[in-house]
Amino acid sequence: MSTAQKLQQELENVLSGDAWYGSPVYNIIAQVSFEAAYERPPNHAHSIAEIVLHMLGWTEEVIRRMQGHTAAEPPGGDWPDAGTPDEHKWKTLVNDLKLMNVELIGVIENFPEEKWNTPINDTRNCELGTGVSYEALIRGLIQHHIYHSAQISLLNRIVG
């Protein structure tokens, strides 16, 4: 099995498959009502909608890095404001996250096998996740998705 196939399978399991740790990302998000998505939790924590926007932005940024762009924060910012509660907007946001991950899977499928272990075009910065190999970049995003899906699950229990 190629590196691309392994990473694609791992990402798909985390998003919608048989994740080892429990419910996959999309199942967790499907349990969130739009009202709960925009509810502001105690202590000024991010709302579920803001977390999904954050996940969407970083997925987009990883795609940009895979395409050779210099690492930066996501084009829309690290923690974009989710705005006012809106059911249509929430459904669109969830669909956008799914579409961005479909795009990422396409990038993974077409990435040259010989480049997976080469460093991305940047120096190491732990906060930005730069200076790692392309394979580590994808694995880091998978971990990022898992981390934030756990937050979403907990927040949904608190505000939902």
Side-chain angles (χ1 to χ4, degrees), residues 20-144:
W20 172 85
Y21 59 84
S23 295
V25 173
Y26 297 154
N27 287 12
I28 290 169
I29 292 173
Q31 301 302 312
V32 177
S33 68
F34 88 91
E35 296 93 348
Y38 290 90
E39 184 72 29
R40 178 65 57 193
N43 299 322
H44 308 287
H46 293 290
S47 69
I48 292 170
E50 288 171 333
I51 294 170
V52 173
L53 275 167
H54 173 79
M55 293 169 71
L56 172 63
W58 280 102
T59 304
E60 180 182 10
E61 175 57 23
V62 165
I63 291 169
R64 288 176 32 78
R65 293 179 191 187
M66 292 293 294
Q67 295 169 336
H69 294 276
T70 303
E73 281 194 1
D78 191 15
W79 288 101
D81 180 19
T84 57
D86 180 294
E87 186 170 11
H88 177 71
K89 188 167 57 172
W90 170 243
K91 288 179 182 179
T92 300
L93 176 57
V94 171
N95 286 332
D96 287 350
L97 179 66
K98 291 177 181 180
L99 289 172
M100 192 63 67
N101 278 288
V102 167
E103 185 176 339
L104 176 59
I105 288 168
V107 170
I108 291 169
E109 287 175 340
N110 294 307
F111 199 75
E113 182 67 31
E114 66 276 4
K115 285 186 69 175
W116 282 111
N117 289 317
T118 60
I120 65 171
N121 188 21
D122 242 318
T123 57
R124 184 70 177 127
N125 178 327
C126 292
E127 272 188 39
L128 278 178
T130 61
V132 297
S133 70
Y134 288 99
E135 180 178 0
L137 180 66
I138 297 298
R139 291 193 185 281
L141 183 70
I142 291 168
Q143 293 166 6
H144 187 259

